[in-house]
Amino acid sequence: MFSESPQPQNLSRNPLCPGCESLALTRRGFLKRSSMGFGMLAFAGLANQWAAAETRRPVPHFKPRAKNVIFLFMDGGVSHVDTFDPKPELANRNGNKADWVADEGSQALTPNRKWLKSLWEFKQRGQSGLWVSELLPNIANVADELCVIRSVVGETPLHGAQNLLLHTGRSIGAAPSLGAWISYGLGTENEQLPGYVLLNNDWVPNGGAQNFASAFLPANHQATMIRARGNPVDNIIPADPVELQRAKLDFLREQDSAMAAAHGGSDAIESAIRNYETAAHMQSLVPKLCDVSGESPATLKLYGVDRTNHFERYYALQCLRARRLVESGVRFVEITCPLTHSNNAPWDQHGELKLRHEENARITDQPVAALLTDLKARGLLNDTLVLWAGEMGRTPHAANKDGRDHHVSGYTIWLAGGGVRAGITYGATDEMGMSAVEDAVDIHDIHATILHQLGMDHEKLTFRFGGRDMRLTDVHGRVLNRILS
Amino acid sequence: MNPTMLKNLPLPLAGRCDGRRAVAIVLSFALGISSFAARANGESDDPSATKEADEEFFATKVQPLLAARCYECHSHGKKIKGGLTLDSRSGWEKGGESGPALVPGAPEKSRLITAVQYADKDLQMPPKQKLPDDEIAVLVEWVKRGAPDPRLLATRASNDWESVYRERLGWWSLQPVSQPPPPQVRDPSWPRNPVDSFILASLEAKGLKPATEADRRTLARRLSFALTGLPPQPKDVERFVTRRSPRAYEALVQSLLDSPHFGERWARHWMDVVHYADTHGYEWDTPAKNAWMYRDYLIRAFNADVPFQQLVLEQIAGDLIPPRMDKRTRQNESILGPMAMRLGERRHGDNADAEGVTQEAVGNIIDTVSKGFLATTVACAQCHDHKLDAVAQRDYYGLAGILTSTRWGARPVSTKDPNLPVIQELKELKGNIRGELLQLWHGAQNSVAEKINIRPSDDAKPADAKASDKDKDKPPPKPPFPESMHAMWRHLHDAMTNGLSFGEAWTKLAEEFQQEQGRRLAANRTNLHLLVDFSRKELPSGWELDGLGMKHGLAKDGEMVIADEGDAALALLLPAGRWSHVWSARLAGAVRSRHLDSRPPLTFSVGYAGGHRAALSLIVDNAFHSERMKFLKQPQPGWLTLTNGNWPTLAGGTDQSPRRAYLELVTKSLNNYFPPRTKYDGLKESDLTDERSWFGVTRIYQHAPGQPPADELMRFTSLFAAAAPASKEEFAKRLAALVMAAVERWRQEACNSEDVRLINEALSARWLPNEPLSNPALAQWVSRYRETEKRLQPERVIGTAEDWHEGRDERIAVRGSYTDLGEPVPRGNISFLGGPAPRAVPESCGRLEFAHNLASDQNPLTARVFVNRVWHHLYGAGLVRTVDDFGHLGEKPSHPELLDWLALRFMEDGWSAKKLVKLLVTSATWRQSSIASEAALAADPENRLWHHLPLRRLEAEAIRDAMLFVSGRLDDSLYGPPLDPYRSAEDDAKRLFSGPLDGNGRRSLYIKMTLMEPPKFLALFNQPIPKLTAGRRDATNVPDQALALLNDPFVIAMAKHWGERVLKDKSKTAEDRVQQMFAAAFARPPQPDETTRLVKLAQRSAELRGAEAGALLTCQSVWQDVAHAIFNLKEFIYVQ
């Protein structure tokens, strides 16, 4: 494994993923070559890349089309037939007995199901004529940027399993997150920042912290969480006044250096010492990065950072931070949705579909649209692949008029930017929105395509663990060439 | 049972390695066209000409097409996906994992054709894009022609698993443990024991010398962390340093081996192997049933130096071997072992809910067991034969059969009943209560009739009064015949309200009674078949009782249940059967069935009552985490009708064998699935702390659907046998007499279940006095009963494994797909351990035999793997550095002879972990300094030859524990339920609660490992996510760790605690104090310049904090700063 252990490692035995060249350096060797000492190192980022940097310098397998990914995780499962997949036939048969609910990937929690038409009107939007419902009016305004995939097929209509599948490519846990793989595969674009940042608010989705973990990949690839509320990052606020901390840091450096010297300049001790300089710097760097007060009033308003409802304000803030982070070179930024009420997951509306889907839309719609607009205005959308996805869709049938159950046999996600064709739809479900019938896509295909856009071959990005060369896509995945521009 | 409990949710059939569905192809014979038909179509009869034409067709059309379109994935030169090759005739003849690819002459029967035609949505080739129609036509034509294929047979020897296996058996780790003598060395003065001879010989061979011996203080600190995970006490260090005895070192080692903290340290190491967690993660993070008792078991076992061989047996088959009784707890330790297999991520539900739930869990167990004990990655063979090691796919399914034939239930730990004397007391108290009640009731004869003779209130109209508009026109359903005295009273009352006289109403009722009773008796005689009579001491085979409540719960008709709270003395009288709460609702009980046959469907009814979250579960496919559970809310005995047949077989798959399901009625504590997720079936979190839970069962009848047992109304026979009462008043007296006659039979201990019903109705209607308040004597007995009952000790229960002799072999899952099933594989062992052993009981799951295979002296791996783990923990790396993988992808041992010598010695020493640890830490090799010579580093930079003992960072737990220890906050008590970790945010829906910041000073292994969100501080220092075996931890170096040590509230709190504590020491000067603090943290006094540095820091802190001159020694925050700085020193988190 790449994990750093106190002993020098036999690098030749380290499994290297194809496309990564070994620098065959010890940490000390690297330090000597970089010959900049602490001055340069003080900039090492939130969760530094040293453990990786000492053994490999990642290079893409081929010319990348995108540099960064922003993943807008619609936790709980947005209803596809109420957002991006209009079904006139569903409206025609509204209230009729639903005759084929027992699809493998369609949950029917209660008996006596009836077809339920969309609660929101659909319209064609923009130049592209893409269909978007009135639930998401702001995203509708940027429809021409979207590549809507209407034919995603999951494995099991359960949140935990689907969340893990979406994040890690396995419905059973203990595999690294997409963000961790990307951080591992490419390293950060900017050595001063972590590869994978999670914009969250202490919300643990189904499937647990595993969704954001590095698992068997080195720990520095796991998500660094930035909260909307309170301390943005754990332990980032200094416990001591500046001068006192400085005094302690000086003491530590003096004392620790003596220990390192006694151990012939131990790599482990030296890098641990260096971490203190980095950490000290992070205490000011991270809050600065998270602080959006320097943004123009127009930008703040565009995202909705001026909203009074705190769920809405926080989500807007996180979207704006996402732009700042990719601007600064963070490879993978994920934003989770807030949970506003007692429920299993934010978008999980077995009941109160109208109330809660609209509430979630009020929280996410404007900031997401603003993010696309802002990225485009700054010329960042070309290099940034935006993924908007929940772990599942919702059943076109229902037992009542105001709730839909879990559905994975055909649902919708969308991509934007990052070299993906804009203003198109790909794949289709049947006339009722039940099953993918055209160009069925699974999560592995989405993962393979994302890696492809970042310049990585999903079959070559591997890590040896537990007797296998593990891949994000396991033994699956194909690049969706037809959606690429 | 509620229909949703048995709901059939057909869900995707996802495979682990192969998530795409692989559904069996249904061959269509209906459309079969023979090859002759095709040939007859205008072709030449000349065989040679045909042959030539065919071969040309093949060479010009078919082969280029196969090469261009198929070879990428189906040829020997590239890949062989699905086991299919198309670069030879034999390739498609043999076919892939699903059988031959072609049926010559019959394209419609040929999988290859189906695949290229995209006719089956689950079998589409090439997968990326359908071939052009003209190319498909070529292939169809080729098959129609009889698939002429002149290519030579090209079967490769390597396709033959047997020969591959033979070759792979030669791998080093599969060879028997050899008996190598310690080698000769040139410098005989250095070795202290044979370990050193092996090490020194390899160093000498390279011309290297070992490092000097570490100084005593370094050794004391190293030893203390290595053996107990805690820093040494400064006074112990001083004693050791000053002792002149040559045995001083051994004495220190021995004292640490004897420390109770030794068990904590080594239990924690093993917990990484079995990926210990207190919860199961996924959606609801439900608890692993009292997993912490397994953690405590490990601590006791390592402290007691239970032979590791025994621990292997216990963790695999602790339920099947003779109990090992712990002297102190007097409980069966063995039964705690199998929790080892149950830890980690488990999805809720079962295979009938979502295909693959059980397979996932089984895969995880096989992975854990094979890595943990054998350092072999057997789980790699779930989808195919192992790519490199001597493990066939059959081996995987041989183990899977053991595990899917095992029940994963909860069992009591105690074997001895601690409650017999208390129950004797309760028995006497019950007698007294009974006497008082009889007196009261005897005196109440007249008042019973008076109470009955009260006009029923009008507000208790039947529920059907508010029928919906839709039902308005329908005639009201005929009301059921009244089955209680109260209902009869109401019936007559209503009849009279409707204009009948009492006499008329009575006559009508009496007639109806005769008809109704006759009908019911006849129906019961015809319909009911008695399956189980729980009033008998012995149950028919297939049904088992568990728990002390059930053991003491054989009740005759009329057994009293004393109310455990409230105004009433009696809760109710019981009908004959087994009742968990005869003595107390705090005693546990369970009734479990064999696997019920699902074909033909069987409908049966259970006589039962239950409450306080006792539950009924139907457990399908031996689910680990069933959610077919319903809480019992039946205060008075009633019937529960169930059907065993309405769970589905594997629809769409090839496994048409019936589901395996069993029934369980169980109180909370013995319920494997309690507590379920929050709010499940109306669960309140306060239900978790209420110790009470009860149920009972009387009989089980089998019957036809819709024909459950009918109430035969026998208790009313005498009522209607006599002449009609003259009036309502007389009828009331008649009913009262009925009750009193039942009471009289109860007094004579001759009552039956009908009497019980009458008395229970009289009690609940408050016709019979049942309130101790009115009777001081009764009140006294009842309160004494309640006090005594609280002295009963509830049973300790753990989730474990069970063998009900219901074994079934598993079938190979082709490419790991759950629905594409091949041959069944005999369950049992894996081939390289000798293959399945004969089972003592053929129907058993085979776990016991497998456990014996694992724990055998002859097993080449178990001892080697364990000694290597111990070496790894003591030396920082194993002799085989990939401690969980001794296979081809692992590393080879640096000192194979030493590994064998140690393994053999370990076995000869009775598999004693303590002797092994002692041997290793008393070696000269281990006592080396952590500072290597330049020459050694140059020659062997990786220290594979052990020319020094490497500097190591402490594990997460040791870092946290050391802070607790040094600051004086440590509560070093052992054992107990886990404490919630400190969290920045809680989520009560998933029971992610926040605990005290410092965990009340408890050691880290007592902090709750919630799989959903493991303790953050520990995770930061590489405590592994407990989902997979992690015998070797990472030791990353990231700034987040520095940030935590600088700013984490726990670290600050510990610094504050220490800073406050040192104010009370007797230091006269700052120098004195910093020296003491330094020694406490590092087991050595500071050098003068180190003292100076610390004092300087203290002074600077005083200056910045505005401490008054001269107040340096009394300013708490100054010493907090010094303590904080010491925690942040590298020396604090590293051990030399």
Side-chain angles (χ1 to χ4, degrees), chain B residues 741-790:
Chain B
V743 168
E744 177 56 19
R745 282 191 290 276
W746 185 64
R747 190 186 68 78
Q748 294 170 9
E749 301 198 8
C751 73
N752 59 25
S753 62
E754 294 291 282
D755 295 328
V756 168
R757 280 191 74 167
L758 290 170
I759 298 173
N760 276 340
E761 187 186 348
L763 283 171
S764 58
R766 298 186 170 225
W767 297 338
L768 284 173
N770 184 27
E771 283 160 18
L773 289 178
S774 58
N775 181 325
L778 179 60
Q780 192 205 335
W781 295 126
V782 169
S783 73
R784 274 192 53 192
Y785 188 95
R786 291 176 181 174
E787 284 159 21
T788 309
E789 182 247 304
K790 289 196 175 59

Side-chain angles (χ1 to χ4, degrees), chain B residues 254-323:
Chain B
Q254 194 56 50
S255 73
L256 290 166
L257 287 171
D258 294 341
S259 158
H261 302 309
F262 175 87
E264 291 178 317
R265 170 73 167 175
W266 290 82
R268 185 56 248 186
H269 286 324
W270 186 252
M271 284 155 75
D272 283 1
V273 174
V274 296
H275 46 84
Y276 178 91
D278 290 295
T279 64
H280 287 310
Y282 263 131
E283 213 160 309
W284 300 102
D285 212 26
T286 48
K289 188 74 179 182
N290 292 338
W292 60 272
M293 291 170 66
Y294 166 78
R295 175 246 285 147
D296 289 354
Y297 149 91
L298 289 177
I299 297 170
R300 284 189 298 270
F302 280 107
N303 276 338
D305 202 18
V306 174
F308 185 70
Q309 189 173 36
Q310 174 74 13
L311 291 184
V312 176
L313 284 177
E314 289 178 5
Q315 291 180 83
I316 303 296
D319 55 317
L320 301 173
I321 58 176

Side-chain angles (χ1 to χ4, degrees), chain A residues 4 10 46 104 155 171-173 206-207 209-210 235 239 248 255-256 263 271 276 283 344 464 467 475, chain B residues 11-12 17 19 282-283 345 889 930-931 942 1012 1027 1035 1037 1040 1047-1048 1090 1093 1104-1105 1121 1124 1128 1130:
Chain A
E4 175 200 345
N10 180 349
L46 292 180
E104 286 167 343
E155 286 182 4
S171 62
I172 182 166
N206 291 307
Q210 178 71 52
N235 302 321
K248 284 181 186 174
Q255 179 73 16
D256 287 339
H263 279 85
S271 66
Y276 273 79
Q283 293 173 149
N344 189 11
R464 183 160 293 176
V475 298
Chain B
L11 296 173
C17 250
Y282 263 131
E283 213 160 309
E345 196 169 39
L889 279 178
S930 60
I931 297 169
E942 287 186 68
M1012 199 128 192
K1027 294 188 177 185
N1037 236 328
D1040 299 28
N1047 301 329
D1048 190 280
E1090 292 174 321
R1093 248 179 236 139
L1104 288 167
R1105 292 194 180 271
D1121 285 334
H1124 186 213
N1128 273 275
K1130 298 302 144 303

Side-chain angles (χ1 to χ4, degrees), chain B residues 619-698:
Chain B
I619 292 112
V620 176
D621 297 330
N622 289 343
F624 288 80
H625 199 176
S626 176
E627 279 216 328
R628 292 167 196 274
M629 177 170 84
K630 195 89 188 136
F631 292 125
L632 303 178
K633 296 157 196 160
Q634 179 78 19
Q636 294 284 341
W639 291 101
L640 180 76
T641 298
L642 302 161
T643 300
N644 75 335
N646 50 355
W647 51 85
T649 52
L650 279 172
T654 49
D655 185 4
Q656 292 301 317
S657 45
R659 292 274 180 215
R660 291 176 283 186
Y662 66 93
L663 199 67
E664 175 181 77
L665 288 113
V666 66
T667 57
K668 281 192 301 201
S669 69
L670 258 180
N671 185 347
N672 191 39
Y673 313 107
F674 192 91
R677 58 184 158 94
T678 50
K679 297 181 188 164
Y680 182 92
D681 192 16
L683 183 75
K684 290 196 271 305
E685 289 303 283
S686 58
D687 295 337
L688 270 57
T689 45
D690 182 353
E691 284 188 318
R692 294 168 300 175
S693 184
W694 65 274
F695 78 97
V697 279
T698 56

Side-chain angles (χ1 to χ4, degrees), chain A residues 109-367:
Chain A
L109 279 183
T110 41
N112 303 323
R113 317 281 298 178
K114 289 172 180 159
W115 298 116
L116 176 60
K117 69 173 184 179
S118 173
L119 306 190
W120 296 273
E121 194 119 331
F122 274 86
K123 281 187 193 144
Q124 285 191 289
R125 315 282 179 167
Q127 300 279 309
S128 59
L130 212 72
W131 290 92
V132 184
S133 84
E134 286 180 341
L135 179 63
L136 303 168
N138 289 287
I139 293 174
N141 284 339
V142 293
D144 286 344
E145 305 299 337
L146 310 185
C147 168
V148 174
I149 301 176
R150 288 175 173 168
S151 52
V152 182
V153 179
E155 286 182 4
T156 316
L158 294 173
H159 295 294
Q162 283 295 122
N163 275 355
L164 290 170
L165 179 70
L166 174 61
H167 280 86
T168 72
R170 307 285 191 288
S171 62
I172 182 166
S177 186
L178 170 64
W181 276 109
I182 289 172
S183 170
Y184 160 74
L186 293 181
T188 53
E189 200 180 350
N190 177 343
E191 284 293 329
Q192 301 168 29
L193 291 170
Y196 176 12
V197 170
L198 174 71
L199 297 167
N200 187 19
N201 223 350
D202 286 313
W203 160 244
V204 184
N206 291 307
Q210 178 71 52
N211 283 302
F212 318 119
S214 55
F216 48 73
L217 293 176
N220 52 320
H221 299 298
Q222 75 192 23
T224 297
M225 185 180 81
I226 297 186
R227 285 185 200 87
R229 179 177 51 216
N231 270 2
V233 175
D234 280 332
N235 302 321
I236 205 71
I237 307 295
D240 293 317
V242 176
E243 285 191 321
L244 182 58
Q245 194 183 65
R246 195 67 250 165
K248 284 181 186 174
L249 289 171
D250 290 344
F251 162 78
L252 293 175
R253 195 178 49 232
E254 234 182 294
Q255 179 73 16
D256 287 339
S257 302
M259 184 188 179
H263 279 85
S266 152
D267 293 336
I269 304 276
E270 279 181 3
S271 66
I273 293 171
R274 209 167 49 235
N275 282 337
Y276 273 79
E277 295 302 323
T278 309
H281 189 75
M282 282 167 63
Q283 293 173 149
S284 59
L285 183 98
V286 173
K288 255 183 232 161
L289 200 67
C290 294
D291 180 9
V292 300
S293 60
E295 297 280 341
S296 73
T299 302
L300 296 175
K301 199 166 169 48
L302 178 72
Y303 281 86
V305 183
D306 57 341
R307 298 266 189 102
T308 49
N309 174 293
H310 68 272
F311 291 120
E312 296 168 21
R313 190 170 68 248
Y314 287 143
Y315 193 82
L317 173 66
Q318 298 290 47
C319 282
L320 178 49
R321 281 176 175 172
R323 191 215 78 211
R324 291 168 65 88
L325 288 166
V326 296
E327 218 169 16
S328 314
V330 173
R331 287 286 184 192
F332 192 95
V333 180
E334 173 170 353
I335 310 176
T336 60
C337 294
L339 185 73
T340 59
H341 59 294
S342 174
N343 197 21
N344 189 11
W347 286 95
D348 188 28
Q349 268 82 62
H350 296 278
E352 297 189 321
L353 177 64
K354 184 149 176 64
L355 176 74
R356 299 300 180 186
H357 258 45
E358 284 180 357
E359 183 181 37
N360 288 323
R362 202 159 52 242
I363 292 167
T364 60
D365 176 49
Q366 181 189 334

Side-chain angles (χ1 to χ4, degrees), chain A residues 1 3-10 13 27 45-48 102-109 153-161 164 171-174 202-210 213 215 217-220 224-225 227 234-241 243-245 247-249 251-252 254-256 258-259 262-263 266-269 271-273 275-276 278-280 282-283 342-344 406 408 442 445 459 464-468 474-478, chain B residues 4 7 9-21 79 81 121 127-128 282-284 345 347-348 354 360 364 371 377 380 386 679 876-877 881 885 889-891 930-931 937 941-942 944 950-953 984-985 987 989-990 992 1011-1014 1016 1020 1022 1025 1027-1029 1032-1049 1052 1078 1084 1090 1093-1094 1096-1097 1100-1101 1104-1105 1120-1121 1124-1131 1134 1136:
Chain A
M1 271 198 265
S3 66
E4 175 200 345
S5 59
Q7 308 89 35
Q9 300 211 339
N10 180 349
R13 285 202 63 88
R27 179 188 304 280
L46 292 180
N48 83 349
D103 182 283
E104 286 167 343
S106 193
Q107 197 186 40
L109 279 183
V153 179
E155 286 182 4
T156 316
L158 294 173
H159 295 294
L164 290 170
S171 62
I172 182 166
D202 286 313
W203 160 244
V204 184
N206 291 307
Q210 178 71 52
L217 293 176
N220 52 320
T224 297
M225 185 180 81
R227 285 185 200 87
D234 280 332
N235 302 321
I236 205 71
I237 307 295
D240 293 317
E243 285 191 321
L244 182 58
Q245 194 183 65
K248 284 181 186 174
L249 289 171
F251 162 78
L252 293 175
E254 234 182 294
Q255 179 73 16
D256 287 339
M259 184 188 179
H263 279 85
S266 152
D267 293 336
I269 304 276
S271 66
I273 293 171
N275 282 337
Y276 273 79
T278 309
M282 282 167 63
Q283 293 173 149
S342 174
N343 197 21
N344 189 11
H406 303 167
V408 299
D442 65 26
D445 301 339
E459 293 192 4
R464 183 160 293 176
F465 174 75
R468 279 179 67 194
D474 198 1
V475 298
H476 314 294
R478 68 211 152 105
Chain B
T4 58
K7 73 177 183 278
L9 262 186
L11 296 173
L13 311 162
R16 181 171 171 192
C17 250
D18 185 353
R20 283 162 212 274
R21 277 161 235 143
K79 294 178 195 163
K81 287 204 169 179
K121 75 178 167 69
K128 289 180 184 169
Y282 263 131
E283 213 160 309
W284 300 102
E345 196 169 39
R347 244 201 269 180
H348 62 74
E360 261 178 25
N364 184 253
K371 281 181 183 163
T377 53
C380 282
H386 201 289
K679 297 181 188 164
R881 296 212 289 189
D885 190 358
L889 279 178
E891 294 190 20
S930 60
I931 297 169
L937 272 181
E942 287 186 68
R944 298 302 303 268
L951 179 78
R952 276 168 297 150
R953 204 202 71 207
S984 45
D987 182 349
K990 295 177 170 73
L992 295 174
L1011 201 47
M1012 199 128 192
E1013 193 190 48
K1016 281 186 184 167
L1020 207 49
N1022 310 102
I1025 292 181
K1027 294 188 177 185
L1028 294 173
T1029 294
R1032 181 176 64 168
R1033 288 189 180 190
D1034 293 350
T1036 53
N1037 236 328
V1038 292
D1040 299 28
Q1041 293 162 349
L1043 281 171
L1045 292 171
L1046 282 173
N1047 301 329
D1048 190 280
I1052 303 298
F1078 197 96
R1084 67 177 178 94
E1090 292 174 321
R1093 248 179 236 139
L1094 264 176
K1096 205 177 94 189
L1097 177 68
R1100 177 72 176 142
S1101 159
L1104 288 167
R1105 292 194 180 271
Q1120 176 179 331
D1121 285 334
H1124 186 213
I1126 289 176
F1127 288 156
N1128 273 275
L1129 284 172
K1130 298 302 144 303
E1131 195 171 347
Y1134 280 85
Q1136 301 181 35

Side-chain angles (χ1 to χ4, degrees), chain B residues 335-396:
Chain B
I335 194 95
L336 297 161
M339 177 52 84
M341 294 183 284
R342 301 189 37 165
L343 300 163
E345 196 169 39
R346 298 285 182 266
R347 244 201 269 180
H348 62 74
D350 53 51
N351 279 357
D353 248 354
E355 193 58 64
V357 170
T358 302
Q359 287 88 336
E360 261 178 25
V362 163
N364 184 253
I365 299 174
I366 291 177
D367 190 51
T368 304
V369 168
S370 66
K371 281 181 183 163
F373 296 108
L374 303 171
T376 304
T377 53
V378 175
C380 282
Q382 183 174 6
C383 310
H384 44 68
D385 293 336
H386 201 289
K387 298 282 191 199
L388 297 164
D389 293 333
V391 181
Q393 196 185 5
R394 292 174 63 81
D395 288 326
Y396 179 93

